[in-house]
Each structure stands twice: as structure tokens, then as C-alpha cells.
Amino acid sequence: MTEANDTIAEPAQSETAQAEAPKSEAPKLEAPKLEAAASASRSRDLRGVFERIERRFGSAAVAFVLIAGVFGAVFSVLTPPFWGHDEITQFGRAYQVSQGGITPQKIHDDRGPAWGGDIPVSIDALMGYAFDDYRNNPDEPDPMVADSEVYDLLGSAPVSDATKPVWFTNTAAYSPVPYLPAAAGIRVAQALDFSVGGMVLATRWAGLLAYLVIVGFALRALRGHRVQWLALTVAVLPIAVFQAGTVTADTVTNALALLISALIVKALFLGQRLTRPETVLAIVSAIALPVCKPTYVLLAMLIVLIPAERFGFGGTDRIAPWQRVLPWASAALGGAAFAVWMKIAAPTGDGMSLMRSQEQWGSVRPGDQLHEILGDPGHFLSVFGDSIARRDQRWFTQFFGELGFAYIDVPALTIVASLLAFAVSIGVADRMTGAQGANRLRTWLVLLTMLASVAMIYVTLYMSFTPVGYFMIDGVQGRYFVPLALLTLAVLLRWMPLRLSDARGSIPTRGPAITVVAATSVALIAAIVKYSTIVWG
């Protein structure tokens, strides 16, 4: 019995052990499930953060800050000092503004009338070397930069107290408004005792930051509308991002033009009411843009086409008289500021010919050109037509990017990728229902204003840069049309019923957004690779 009992007891103990085994191993089996649950929870939390950011700022605004911020910073470091568009004279004017210089300052020049200002001698040394370097390039495949160590040496020098007068007649004609961010960057560099190279970089980054903030707000205003991806495509064109990464008045000009364009699209074409901050910035843009660059004064005036009830002040049921006056008062202030500054800057036109070859000094005479336009408009139209026939392909390429005074055209891949982004962003854009009915007249006025603004670009350069009797209008560049692109395309969308749709007949959102972000990124990467290869080797 004892043996039997012992024999029976062993299975009992074995069953007990077996019963207890799963209990001891249970935590090990549950660990992967716990980890998976924790991972899913983190994923939900992260997705929730992204959704909150998207709701607050908009997908296109977030994508813009990332794309323009990264690639703009790359261009700011990759571009040799003062190799941007007119960057020597642009920096000179920015430095003058940073030191309190508001109006154009006439300087002595044996060649003829000239305007400029005092620049630290150590900065002028780097300017002089950069000027000679980008003008005297070796043949391919040698890099355009002759000696990068010289840039390092001159850039590492302290900013000297001694100054010398420097010529910048072409930018002396600009008001101080578009140079305020760059001037702030210079003052920060002075306060922190940066070297010459550090000051140049700080000035570039200040402009880039302004571009990110202003255009980022413009895209945020369009959140919830698919047209935000079209605005993004314009904002991250390689030429726009390149300029945002260098010192130029065009950075703030482009940003303000995109801002007021986005707000007009929202209020006029989409029929949405502006918020109070958006209303304030629309008014500020209408006043500031005309004194940034005179060719865009008509774009700023379009604020008067926004219906009074769509501004963020006052009621919507009963429109008070002051609500109706508000946009007209803003346009009037902008126009008055434009007229005053044009009067102040008018004498600088007499010195513009010094930018041309020596045999053409004194050949640019704005008064004579204006007399010819008014006295013989047929001849001007003939010259205008010849200019298009000879140069339209250059302007098309430059619209996507001719990068600085290295004069490097962006590669074919950049243009194709940008065109893909335009095709997709136009194809999925909102139907502009806000422009129906009584607003059709306003749509026509926008179109006529865009055409008039294009004409102003040609007229301005005919008067300010083209020699008298020249066979074409000289100085026109494709980048001058970027500020007009968004509103011009909005008019096209107003009259174009076609949209991209999926198999179910609905307009997709996520796929086109990914395509636009990918295409614009590829366009910028290709441009950077080509620029780096040719400039630095």
C-alpha cells in the first residue's frame, strides 16, 4: 500500500507541477503583448501630436517650414559669400540700413553719378575677392571657386572698425523695409562680435527666418483647403529657396507677395472670412509690399477687391462704413508710400548705367525711355515682342532657378519635378466657389492686374536698365514672375473645371500631398547637387 500510495502520489505531484508551470511562465508569454500594446499607445500618442500640429498649422505650412528651412540653410552655407543675386550690393544696402541709413547716399565716383555707403574694410576685402572669383572662372571640369582656403581666411577675419565707401546704386534705390531682417542679423552679429564670415551667414539666416515665418503664416491661412499645396509649390521653387538663403531684398518681397496672395485667394476665391491676425497682416502687406519693389504695387492694391464682410473686424450682417473704408485706406497708404519713395529714389536711376560695360556708361536714361514709351508706343511694343521672341526660354528656366551670380541653371530633373508638383497641386486644388456670381468681375480685375504687373516688370527694366535705342528690354529675369504666380494660377483655377480624381470619383488629398512634398524635395536636391558640383567641384 505504501508503494502504491507512493506511486499514486507522484502523478499528483507531477500534475501540480504542470499546473503551476504555466502560472510561472505566464508573465514571459504576456511580455510581447505588453510591448506591442505600449508601442501602439506610443504610436497613437505620436499620431495625435501630428494631428494637433496639422489642425493648428496645416500640413502644407509644416512641410514648408521643414523643406524651406533645411534646403534654405543648405544654400546659405553652400553658396560662397556674395555669390547670390547682386549680393554684394544687397549686403551693402542692408549694412547701411543696419547703421541707420534710410535714404540713398550719394558717393563720389569718377565714372559718373553713384550712390552707396560705408562698409567695413575687412568685409570689402571679401567682397572684392568674391567679385573677381565669380567673374573669372576656369574651364570645366575645374570648379568655379578658385581657392576655398582664401574664403576661409578672409571670412575668419574680424569685422574692422575702419570703413570705406562702396558702390551699390542699384540697391540704394530700395527702401529700408525689405532689408529689416538682414539689418537685424547684422546687428546681432555685431553684438556677438562675429567674424566677417559669421556676419554674412547671420545676415543670410535672418532673411531665411523671415521667409519661413511670413510664408509659413500664409500657408497656415490656407489650412483646410487643398490650394495650400499649390501655394507650397510656389513657395519652395528652387529660385525662391535659394534667394531666401542669401542676402537680397527679394526674400522679404517674395514672402509678402505670397502672403497677400494667399489671403486674397482665401477671402476672394474661396469665400472665407479672414481672422483678425490675417486681416492685420493683409493690411500690413498692402502697405509694405509697394515699397519693397515698385513692380508689385498693383498686386498690393488688390486688397480692395476683398469684400468688406470677409475682413476679421466688425460684423458680417451689417457692414459699417469704416469696414468698407479699411481696404481702400490700406491701399491708399501703400500707394502713398510707393509714390514718396519713388520720388526719393528717382535720382539713382542716373547711375544705373555703371552696371553695364564701359562703352554703355551713361546710356541708361529713364527720362528718355519714358518719353519714347509715351511718344512712340508702337516702337516699345515692337521691342517688347522682340524680347519675348529672343529670351522667353531663358525666363522660363530662370523661373525655376538660375542660381546667383554663378549663373547656374537648375538641372532638367529640377524643372520636371517642379512641373509635376504644379500639375498635381493644380489638379487637386479647391473649386473656387467663392468667386461665383457678383465676384466674377473681381476675378477679371485680378487677371488684368496680373497682366499689368507683368507689363510693369518690362517697363521698369526698360527705363532703369536698358540703354536707349537697345534692340530688346534687358535685365528681365524669370525670378521676377514668382511673386505673381499664385494669384495668376488662382485665376486659372477659377475658370478651369477639371480636377484630378480617384477611381471613386473623389478628389484625393494624402497621395497628392505626398507627391508634392516628394517632387519639390527632389527638385531642390537636384539643384543643390548640380550647384555644389559646378561651384565647389
Side-chain angles (χ1 to χ4, degrees):
M1 290 296 293
T2 304
E3 291 179 2
N5 290 338
D6 290 343
T7 304
I8 294 172
E10 286 179 3
Q13 294 174 356
S14 177
E15 290 175 4
T16 303
Q18 290 176 359
E20 292 176 353
K23 293 180 182 179
S24 61
E25 292 178 2
K28 295 182 180 179
L29 293 174
E30 292 295 333
K33 295 182 181 179
L34 292 174
E35 291 179 5
S39 177
S41 177
R42 287 193 298 268
S43 177
R44 284 193 299 271
D45 292 342
L46 187 61
R47 188 162 53 248
V49 170
F50 284 136
E51 288 175 354
R52 286 193 294 272
I53 292 175
E54 186 176 359
R55 282 196 301 270
R56 185 173 180 80
F57 298 103
S59 303
V62 174
F64 164 76
V65 171
L66 293 175
I67 294 172
V70 170
F71 290 106
V74 170
F75 273 127
S76 70
V77 175
L78 185 65
T79 306
F82 305 116
W83 279 48
H85 298 91
D86 291 316
E87 195 170 15
I88 289 178
T89 56
Q90 296 281 359
F91 185 92
R93 177 60 172 148
Y95 188 88
Q96 184 182 55
V97 171
S98 74
Q99 306 307 303
I102 303 301
T103 58
Q105 175 187 338
K106 197 166 186 178
I107 62 174
H108 174 74
D109 194 316
D110 294 333
R111 301 172 299 170
W115 282 258
D118 293 333
I119 300 295
V121 172
S122 56
I123 293 179
D124 178 66
L126 181 56
M127 285 180 171
Y129 181 80
F131 181 71
D132 291 335
D133 197 23
Y134 65 65
R135 285 204 311 164
N136 303 301
N137 303 130
D139 295 330
E140 291 184 310
D142 293 337
M144 294 182 72
V145 168
D147 190 345
S148 60
E149 293 182 358
V150 177
Y151 284 100
D152 294 336
L153 179 63
L154 294 174
S156 63
V159 177
S160 59
D161 294 329
T163 61
K164 63 176 295 186
V166 173
W167 185 98
F168 47 84
T169 298
N170 62 322
T171 56
Y174 290 157
S175 82
V177 173
Y179 294 104
L180 292 178
I186 290 172
R187 294 307 295 261
V188 169
Q190 288 177 322
L192 298 178
D193 199 23
F194 283 2
S195 64
V196 171
M199 178 174 285
V200 173
L201 196 58
T203 310
R204 288 177 170 180
W205 283 356
L208 176 61
L209 179 60
Y211 189 72
L212 295 177
V213 171
I214 297 172
V215 180
F217 186 90
L219 291 169
R220 181 182 182 274
L222 296 175
R223 69 191 185 281
H225 301 283
R226 296 188 302 274
V227 76
Q228 64 181 312
W229 298 107
L230 176 57
L232 169 71
T233 302
V234 174
V236 297
L237 279 168
I239 186 60
V241 176
F242 177 85
Q243 289 193 292
T246 56
V247 182
T248 172
D250 289 349
T251 297
V252 172
T253 301
N254 291 344
L256 289 176
L258 282 167
L259 174 59
I260 196 167
S261 296
L263 296 176
I264 291 172
V265 167
K266 179 179 180 178
L268 182 60
F269 291 111
L270 296 174
Q272 300 294 308
R273 193 168 193 244
L274 302 179
T275 64
R276 287 193 175 186
E278 290 167 358
T279 301
V280 170
L281 288 177
I283 293 170
V284 170
S285 300
I287 297 171
L289 184 58
V291 292
C292 287
K293 221 166 192 179
T295 46
Y296 307 119
V297 60
L298 297 179
L299 170 59
M301 299 295 103
L302 287 176
I303 191 175
V304 302
L305 297 183
I306 298 177
E309 65 272 13
R310 292 180 189 166
F311 285 100
F313 297 133
T316 57
D317 298 331
R318 267 187 164 177
I319 307 301
W322 67 267
Q323 289 178 262
R324 300 185 187 280
V325 170
L326 184 63
W328 291 94
S330 305
L333 283 174
F338 163 80
V340 169
W341 187 258
M342 289 297 292
K343 180 69 174 178
I344 293 172
T348 63
D350 296 333
M352 287 296 292
S353 63
L354 297 185
M355 294 189 68
R356 306 189 67 87
S357 57
Q358 186 171 354
E359 62 271 15
Q360 293 179 333
W361 290 352
S363 63
V364 179
R365 299 188 295 275
D368 291 348
Q369 296 289 54
L370 179 60
H371 182 268
E372 181 178 290
I373 293 173
L374 298 177
D376 190 1
H379 175 70
F380 172 75
L381 292 175
S382 176
V383 174
F384 174 71
D386 288 343
S387 303
I388 294 176
R390 294 174 184 274
R391 294 291 185 270
D392 68 326
Q393 81 285 354
R394 288 295 305 139
W395 302 332
F396 176 79
T397 302
Q398 290 170 343
F399 178 80
F400 299 96
E402 183 186 58
L403 305 181
F405 274 10
Y407 299 107
I408 296 174
D409 291 332
V410 294
L413 177 58
T414 292
I415 296 176
V416 171
S418 296
L419 288 174
L420 172 61
F422 271 114
V424 173
S425 59
I426 290 173
V428 300
D430 309 79
R431 299 186 186 279
M432 303 298 179
T433 55
Q436 297 289 345
N439 286 337
R440 289 177 180 174
L441 175 60
R442 291 186 172 98
T443 305
W444 278 103
L445 290 174
V446 172
L447 176 61
L448 293 175
T449 301
M450 293 298 98
L451 294 175
S453 298
V454 170
M456 282 190 67
I457 292 173
Y458 290 99
V459 170
T460 299
L461 288 164
Y462 188 71
M463 293 176 56
S464 66
F465 192 73
T466 304
V468 174
Y470 205 58
F471 67 95
M472 61 172 287
I473 301 174
D474 202 13
V476 178
Q477 297 185 44
R479 59 191 172 98
Y480 299 150
F481 302 104
V482 171
L484 306 175
L486 179 57
L487 267 183
T488 303
L489 291 171
V491 172
L492 172 66
L493 288 168
R494 164 69 181 86
W495 289 321
M496 187 183 77
L498 299 177
R499 293 294 186 273
L500 296 176
S501 60
D502 57 21
R504 295 172 296 179
S506 59
I507 298 177
T509 54
R510 185 176 299 274
I514 294 172
T515 301
V516 169
V517 170
T520 52
S521 298
V522 168
L524 286 161
I525 291 170
I528 285 173
V529 169
K530 181 176 180 179
Y531 187 84
S532 176
T533 300
I534 294 177
V535 172
W536 296 101

mmCIF file of all heavy atoms in Angstrom, residues 95 107 116-125 160-168:
data_model
loop_
_atom_site.group_PDB
_atom_site.id
_atom_site.type_symbol
_atom_site.label_atom_id
_atom_site.label_comp_id
_atom_site.label_asym_id
_atom_site.label_seq_id
_atom_site.Cartn_x
_atom_site.Cartn_y
_atom_site.Cartn_z
ATOM 1 N N TYR A 95 23.673 96.621 -44.837
ATOM 2 C CA TYR A 95 24.580 97.150 -43.806
ATOM 3 C C TYR A 95 24.276 98.616 -43.547
ATOM 4 O O TYR A 95 24.273 99.067 -42.394
ATOM 5 C CB TYR A 95 26.035 96.972 -44.226
ATOM 6 C CG TYR A 95 27.014 97.309 -43.128
ATOM 7 C CD1 TYR A 95 27.408 96.336 -42.209
ATOM 8 C CD2 TYR A 95 27.519 98.599 -42.984
ATOM 9 C CE1 TYR A 95 28.286 96.652 -41.178
ATOM 10 C CE2 TYR A 95 28.389 98.919 -41.966
ATOM 11 C CZ TYR A 95 28.770 97.948 -41.059
ATOM 12 O OH TYR A 95 29.638 98.266 -40.035
ATOM 13 N N ILE A 107 27.711 109.074 -53.385
ATOM 14 C CA ILE A 107 29.139 108.943 -53.147
ATOM 15 C C ILE A 107 29.900 109.408 -54.385
ATOM 16 O O ILE A 107 29.346 109.505 -55.480
ATOM 17 C CB ILE A 107 29.539 107.488 -52.804
ATOM 18 C CG1 ILE A 107 29.211 106.558 -53.983
ATOM 19 C CG2 ILE A 107 28.836 107.016 -51.532
ATOM 20 C CD1 ILE A 107 29.718 105.134 -53.784
ATOM 21 N N GLY A 116 25.844 104.846 -52.668
ATOM 22 C CA GLY A 116 26.374 103.711 -51.919
ATOM 23 C C GLY A 116 26.456 104.040 -50.445
ATOM 24 O O GLY A 116 25.636 104.785 -49.908
ATOM 25 N N GLY A 117 27.501 103.520 -49.778
ATOM 26 C CA GLY A 117 27.661 103.767 -48.358
ATOM 27 C C GLY A 117 28.939 103.146 -47.836
ATOM 28 O O GLY A 117 29.664 102.458 -48.573
ATOM 29 N N ASP A 118 29.217 103.387 -46.574
ATOM 30 C CA ASP A 118 30.454 102.900 -45.954
ATOM 31 C C ASP A 118 30.281 101.468 -45.462
ATOM 32 O O ASP A 118 29.277 101.130 -44.831
ATOM 33 C CB ASP A 118 30.852 103.800 -44.786
ATOM 34 C CG ASP A 118 31.262 105.190 -45.259
ATOM 35 O OD1 ASP A 118 31.722 105.296 -46.407
ATOM 36 O OD2 ASP A 118 31.110 106.148 -44.480
ATOM 37 N N ILE A 119 31.305 100.652 -45.749
ATOM 38 C CA ILE A 119 31.327 99.240 -45.372
ATOM 39 C C ILE A 119 32.656 98.965 -44.670
ATOM 40 O O ILE A 119 33.693 99.513 -45.069
ATOM 41 C CB ILE A 119 31.202 98.334 -46.625
ATOM 42 C CG1 ILE A 119 29.889 98.612 -47.345
ATOM 43 C CG2 ILE A 119 31.284 96.854 -46.247
ATOM 44 C CD1 ILE A 119 28.656 98.259 -46.564
ATOM 45 N N PRO A 120 32.691 98.114 -43.637
ATOM 46 C CA PRO A 120 33.964 97.762 -43.017
ATOM 47 C C PRO A 120 34.975 97.253 -44.043
ATOM 48 O O PRO A 120 34.621 96.509 -44.957
ATOM 49 C CB PRO A 120 33.587 96.670 -42.014
ATOM 50 C CG PRO A 120 32.176 96.992 -41.645
ATOM 51 C CD PRO A 120 31.552 97.508 -42.912
ATOM 52 N N VAL A 121 36.210 97.657 -43.885
ATOM 53 C CA VAL A 121 37.259 97.309 -44.847
ATOM 54 C C VAL A 121 37.427 95.796 -44.963
ATOM 55 O O VAL A 121 37.636 95.259 -46.059
ATOM 56 C CB VAL A 121 38.590 97.977 -44.427
ATOM 57 C CG1 VAL A 121 39.744 97.482 -45.307
ATOM 58 C CG2 VAL A 121 38.478 99.489 -44.506
ATOM 59 N N SER A 122 37.314 95.078 -43.865
ATOM 60 C CA SER A 122 37.508 93.624 -43.908
ATOM 61 C C SER A 122 36.383 92.939 -44.682
ATOM 62 O O SER A 122 36.609 91.922 -45.351
ATOM 63 C CB SER A 122 37.586 93.057 -42.484
ATOM 64 O OG SER A 122 36.437 93.411 -41.733
ATOM 65 N N ILE A 123 35.174 93.492 -44.625
ATOM 66 C CA ILE A 123 34.079 92.939 -45.420
ATOM 67 C C ILE A 123 34.293 93.258 -46.892
ATOM 68 O O ILE A 123 34.059 92.420 -47.773
ATOM 69 C CB ILE A 123 32.727 93.489 -44.930
ATOM 70 C CG1 ILE A 123 32.426 92.965 -43.525
ATOM 71 C CG2 ILE A 123 31.593 93.102 -45.883
ATOM 72 C CD1 ILE A 123 31.122 93.470 -42.941
ATOM 73 N N ASP A 124 34.768 94.472 -47.175
ATOM 74 C CA ASP A 124 35.033 94.847 -48.563
ATOM 75 C C ASP A 124 36.117 93.955 -49.178
ATOM 76 O O ASP A 124 36.066 93.649 -50.378
ATOM 77 C CB ASP A 124 35.474 96.314 -48.624
ATOM 78 C CG ASP A 124 35.800 96.756 -50.031
ATOM 79 O OD1 ASP A 124 34.887 96.801 -50.878
ATOM 80 O OD2 ASP A 124 36.995 97.038 -50.295
ATOM 81 N N ALA A 125 37.085 93.515 -48.383
ATOM 82 C CA ALA A 125 38.123 92.623 -48.898
ATOM 83 C C ALA A 125 37.526 91.309 -49.380
ATOM 84 O O ALA A 125 37.885 90.791 -50.447
ATOM 85 C CB ALA A 125 39.172 92.376 -47.817
ATOM 86 N N SER A 160 36.290 94.880 -39.178
ATOM 87 C CA SER A 160 37.133 96.022 -38.836
ATOM 88 C C SER A 160 36.300 97.248 -38.486
ATOM 89 O O SER A 160 35.153 97.400 -38.926
ATOM 90 C CB SER A 160 38.056 96.350 -40.011
ATOM 91 O OG SER A 160 37.300 96.657 -41.167
ATOM 92 N N ASP A 161 36.890 98.130 -37.694
ATOM 93 C CA ASP A 161 36.252 99.405 -37.393
ATOM 94 C C ASP A 161 36.404 100.382 -38.553
ATOM 95 O O ASP A 161 35.522 101.220 -38.770
ATOM 96 C CB ASP A 161 36.865 100.008 -36.125
ATOM 97 C CG ASP A 161 36.562 99.187 -34.883
ATOM 98 O OD1 ASP A 161 35.475 98.559 -34.847
ATOM 99 O OD2 ASP A 161 37.395 99.160 -33.963
ATOM 100 N N ALA A 162 37.516 100.260 -39.262
ATOM 101 C CA ALA A 162 37.745 101.132 -40.419
ATOM 102 C C ALA A 162 36.771 100.784 -41.538
ATOM 103 O O ALA A 162 36.472 99.608 -41.773
ATOM 104 C CB ALA A 162 39.189 100.978 -40.906
ATOM 105 N N THR A 163 36.267 101.802 -42.216
ATOM 106 C CA THR A 163 35.301 101.600 -43.293
ATOM 107 C C THR A 163 35.768 102.290 -44.563
ATOM 108 O O THR A 163 36.693 103.104 -44.539
ATOM 109 C CB THR A 163 33.914 102.149 -42.906
ATOM 110 O OG1 THR A 163 34.026 103.554 -42.658
ATOM 111 C CG2 THR A 163 33.390 101.456 -41.661
ATOM 112 N N LYS A 164 35.112 101.980 -45.663
ATOM 113 C CA LYS A 164 35.371 102.636 -46.943
ATOM 114 C C LYS A 164 34.068 102.692 -47.729
ATOM 115 O O LYS A 164 33.198 101.824 -47.565
ATOM 116 C CB LYS A 164 36.446 101.896 -47.736
ATOM 117 C CG LYS A 164 36.084 100.478 -48.125
ATOM 118 C CD LYS A 164 37.164 99.845 -49.003
ATOM 119 C CE LYS A 164 37.279 100.550 -50.345
ATOM 120 N NZ LYS A 164 38.213 99.859 -51.251
ATOM 121 N N PRO A 165 33.905 103.700 -48.589
ATOM 122 C CA PRO A 165 32.669 103.793 -49.382
ATOM 123 C C PRO A 165 32.616 102.713 -50.459
ATOM 124 O O PRO A 165 33.621 102.415 -51.106
ATOM 125 C CB PRO A 165 32.743 105.193 -49.995
ATOM 126 C CG PRO A 165 34.192 105.544 -49.989
ATOM 127 C CD PRO A 165 34.788 104.852 -48.802
ATOM 128 N N VAL A 166 31.445 102.125 -50.629
ATOM 129 C CA VAL A 166 31.233 101.054 -51.605
ATOM 130 C C VAL A 166 30.047 101.428 -52.480
ATOM 131 O O VAL A 166 29.046 101.970 -51.996
ATOM 132 C CB VAL A 166 30.980 99.711 -50.893
ATOM 133 C CG1 VAL A 166 30.593 98.628 -51.890
ATOM 134 C CG2 VAL A 166 32.210 99.280 -50.114
ATOM 135 N N TRP A 167 30.130 101.124 -53.771
ATOM 136 C CA TRP A 167 29.075 101.436 -54.739
ATOM 137 C C TRP A 167 27.957 100.409 -54.636
ATOM 138 O O TRP A 167 28.193 99.215 -54.697
ATOM 139 C CB TRP A 167 29.686 101.412 -56.136
ATOM 140 C CG TRP A 167 28.787 101.826 -57.269
ATOM 141 C CD1 TRP A 167 28.741 103.044 -57.858
ATOM 142 C CD2 TRP A 167 27.815 101.019 -57.959
ATOM 143 N NE1 TRP A 167 27.804 103.065 -58.879
ATOM 144 C CE2 TRP A 167 27.221 101.832 -58.958
ATOM 145 C CE3 TRP A 167 27.389 99.701 -57.837
ATOM 146 C CZ2 TRP A 167 26.237 101.353 -59.825
ATOM 147 C CZ3 TRP A 167 26.393 99.233 -58.691
ATOM 148 C CH2 TRP A 167 25.828 100.053 -59.672
ATOM 149 N N PHE A 168 26.723 100.870 -54.473
ATOM 150 C CA PHE A 168 25.566 99.976 -54.629
ATOM 151 C C PHE A 168 24.352 100.793 -55.069
ATOM 152 O O PHE A 168 23.295 100.793 -54.447
ATOM 153 C CB PHE A 168 25.268 99.155 -53.358
ATOM 154 C CG PHE A 168 25.239 99.903 -52.054
ATOM 155 C CD1 PHE A 168 24.088 100.560 -51.628
ATOM 156 C CD2 PHE A 168 26.337 99.933 -51.217
ATOM 157 C CE1 PHE A 168 24.042 101.221 -50.422
ATOM 158 C CE2 PHE A 168 26.308 100.591 -49.999
ATOM 159 C CZ PHE A 168 25.150 101.236 -49.593
#
